[in-house]
Amino acid sequence: MSEEEIRQLTDFQINEITEHRIYSRLAALQKNSHNRQVLSELAKEELTHFYTLKKYTGKTPAPQLWKVNRYVWIARLFGLTFGIKLMEKGEDIAQKVYRQWKNEDIQKMATEEEVHEAKLISLIDEEGLNYMSSVVLGLNDALVEFTGALAGYTFALQHPHLVALTGGITGIAAALSMAASEYLSTRAEKENKNAFKASIYTGIAYIITVIVLIAPFVFMKNVYWALGVCLTGALVIIAVFNYYYSIVRSESFKKRFGEMALISLGIAAISFGIGYALRLFTGIEL
């Protein structure tokens, strides 16, 4: 082998031993025995790949500890599935490079990377993901309904603190209503979910969104600037959530973001127009 080929295989080794260390660390942190077993299998597979490559390089490189710590903390902060899938998303390029090699061992490794890891990762049991639909319900309703309401209040009331007060009351009431609806809906459908937990996920998602959206009206004096910041905040929430969702569900970020942003801003524009029309029709000045 040429020096360049050995260098490339050594880089592969570093990647494999780094992922082995990540999976091992995550396995040690798991209280769920099923998740611990899945992660241990992933770690074992990466170590096998490391030693397969060693036959060709004759080297034993160390793992990239900064990368190990990075993904372990991402998994702890944002969830196990998100951390692993984010890491694997970044390794797609490495798998394509594997495919360029005609070596039988490396071709086998590429297949195992694509098939085994995807299969094992899909078996991971993470409670938060089981309630993703409840979070989606809370966020969608808050972003569409509440953004529209704030836009309507902005033109109807024309005072940021009045908008914040009215919006806060409306938002909290709506969050409680949505949480109660999700509780009753989950119980009625008899899904494999805890109805109380489902309602909590929905309520918390709604309230967090409400806080972010009314904050500009609390701290800013110009009601229209506050509305602009509010709508920007809505777009940021949509972007962050849909990025997370697209990673854990392996779906298109652009499509989901575009649909949700268009609906939320469209409803806000319509509500703003309704507020303007009602103000003209009633002749009420505050």
Side-chain angles (χ1 to χ4, degrees), residues 1-69:
M1 283 189 178
S2 67
E3 290 186 7
E4 176 60 26
E5 288 175 328
I6 292 176
R7 186 196 63 76
Q8 191 174 53
L9 291 181
T10 303
D11 289 341
F12 292 164
Q13 268 190 288
I14 294 172
N15 181 66
E16 298 294 346
I17 196 63
T18 298
E19 290 194 0
H20 163 73
R21 186 69 65 86
I22 291 170
Y23 288 130
S24 298
R25 286 268 303 272
L26 291 175
L29 293 171
Q30 299 306 305
K31 295 179 180 179
N32 183 309
S33 59
H34 170 75
N35 289 352
R36 187 164 56 249
Q37 180 182 352
V38 171
L39 291 166
S40 296
E41 289 183 36
L42 287 169
K44 183 179 178 181
E45 184 175 282
E46 300 293 3
L47 189 61
T48 300
H49 292 170
F50 173 80
Y51 283 113
T52 298
L53 292 168
K54 185 180 178 181
K55 293 190 303 182
Y56 299 97
T57 66
K59 298 180 180 181
T60 310
Q64 295 175 309
L65 294 181
W66 66 268
K67 191 174 180 181
V68 174
N69 292 329

Side-chain angles (χ1 to χ4, degrees), residues 1 43 51 54 56 63 69-70 82 84 96 119 124 147 168 172 206 215:
M1 283 189 178
Y51 283 113
K54 185 180 178 181
Y56 299 97
N69 292 329
R70 175 190 175 190
F82 178 79
I84 291 175
K96 291 178 181 177
K119 182 179 178 181
I124 289 175
T147 302
I172 292 172
Y206 202 114

Side-chain angles (χ1 to χ4, degrees), residues 12 47 55 70 73 85 105-106 109 164 178-179 182 240:
F12 292 164
L47 189 61
K55 293 190 303 182
R70 175 190 175 190
W73 274 107
K85 287 201 171 185
D105 284 337
I106 297 177
M109 284 171 47
M178 284 299 301
E182 177 67 357
V240 170

Side-chain angles (χ1 to χ4, degrees), residues 18-273:
T18 298
E19 290 194 0
H20 163 73
R21 186 69 65 86
I22 291 170
Y23 288 130
S24 298
R25 286 268 303 272
L26 291 175
L29 293 171
Q30 299 306 305
K31 295 179 180 179
N32 183 309
S33 59
H34 170 75
N35 289 352
R36 187 164 56 249
Q37 180 182 352
V38 171
L39 291 166
S40 296
E41 289 183 36
L42 287 169
K44 183 179 178 181
E45 184 175 282
E46 300 293 3
L47 189 61
T48 300
H49 292 170
F50 173 80
Y51 283 113
T52 298
L53 292 168
K54 185 180 178 181
K55 293 190 303 182
Y56 299 97
T57 66
K59 298 180 180 181
T60 310
Q64 295 175 309
L65 294 181
W66 66 268
K67 191 174 180 181
V68 174
N69 292 329
R70 175 190 175 190
Y71 282 108
V72 168
W73 274 107
I74 287 175
R76 296 181 75 170
L77 291 173
F78 302 107
L80 179 61
T81 303
F82 178 79
I84 291 175
K85 287 201 171 185
L86 183 65
M87 179 178 71
E88 290 303 320
K89 189 177 180 70
E91 300 306 325
D92 288 344
I93 297 175
Q95 291 177 15
K96 291 178 181 177
V97 175
Y98 280 171
R99 287 298 185 192
Q100 296 175 4
W101 284 71
K102 303 303 180 182
N103 183 286
E104 184 178 341
D105 284 337
I106 297 177
Q107 287 294 311
K108 181 181 178 182
M109 284 171 47
T111 300
E112 289 176 350
E113 289 279 355
E114 293 169 1
V115 178
H116 294 176
E117 289 182 3
K119 182 179 178 181
L120 288 170
I121 289 171
S122 69
L123 295 175
I124 289 175
D125 178 25
E126 191 168 9
E127 181 183 79
L129 295 182
N130 296 329
Y131 294 93
M132 183 66 75
S133 60
S134 299
V135 175
V136 170
L137 178 65
L139 279 174
N140 281 351
D141 196 80
L143 287 167
V144 174
E145 178 183 323
F146 194 63
T147 302
L150 289 175
Y153 294 154
T154 295
F155 205 90
L157 302 177
Q158 293 198 335
H159 192 287
H161 291 170
L162 283 177
V163 174
L165 178 62
T166 308
I169 294 170
T170 303
I172 292 172
L176 295 174
S177 175
M178 284 299 301
S181 297
E182 177 67 357
Y183 175 81
L184 295 173
S185 174
T186 304
R187 285 197 63 184
E189 293 174 3
K190 297 181 179 180
E191 297 179 2
N192 188 27
K193 292 195 300 185
N194 182 296
F196 179 73
K197 285 185 178 180
S199 67
I200 293 297
Y201 276 101
T202 298
I204 289 176
Y206 202 114
I207 288 175
I208 289 174
T209 306
V210 167
I211 291 171
V212 172
L213 295 183
I214 67 171
F217 296 97
V218 174
F219 298 107
M220 300 181 71
K221 294 181 179 181
N222 186 299
V223 70
Y224 297 108
W225 278 107
L227 177 62
V229 174
C230 166
L231 295 177
T232 302
L235 288 175
V236 170
I237 293 173
I238 292 171
V240 170
F241 173 74
N242 280 291
Y243 178 73
Y244 183 92
Y245 192 94
S246 68
I247 293 295
V248 299
R249 295 298 189 192
S250 301
E251 295 185 7
S252 170
F253 166 75
K254 290 182 179 180
K255 182 180 178 181
R256 286 188 56 86
F257 173 78
E259 288 177 349
M260 204 166 172
L262 183 63
I263 292 172
S264 296
L265 296 182
I267 295 297
I270 293 170
S271 299
F272 189 87

